[in-house]
Amino acid sequence: TEIFIGDRDPLRDDTVRFALKLFNSQVKVKLNVLKGLSHALLSNSGNSGIDGANSFREEAQKALTRVLSVPLA
């Protein structure tokens, strides 16, 4: 499980607690805390985006590619 959250997101603390619950339940989890980003980090990406939002989009695309490229055998 891969989770992305901005360090300025009002849901950050809840997200960190959720990631810890997953970890404590023996679920493999990677928590990505993105500096300077808020809850609207995805809508801030693109040509008029803020610094960091584009890197979020790139990392999220990589994570989805990893997940979706796994054979379902």
Side-chain angles (χ1 to χ4, degrees), residues 18-68:
F18 177 65
L20 284 171
K21 283 185 179 185
L22 290 173
F23 178 78
N24 290 331
S25 297
Q26 307 302 311
V27 174
K28 185 177 178 182
V29 62
K30 179 179 179 188
L31 178 62
N32 301 281
V33 180
L34 305 164
K35 186 175 180 174
L37 296 179
S38 67
H39 191 73
L41 54 94
L42 184 56
S43 63
N44 288 325
S45 63
N47 292 335
S48 61
I50 60 174
D51 290 341
N54 290 330
S55 64
F56 156 72
R57 189 183 69 224
E58 292 166 6
E59 290 302 313
Q61 286 174 337
K62 289 177 191 175
L64 286 171
T65 299
R66 282 192 303 273
V67 170
L68 297 176

Side-chain angles (χ1 to χ4, degrees), residues 4-21:
F4 293 86
I5 190 74
D7 68 348
R8 294 182 181 177
D9 192 319
L11 301 175
R12 182 199 63 212
D13 293 345
D14 290 335
T15 302
V16 171
R17 281 191 289 273
F18 177 65
L20 284 171
K21 283 185 179 185

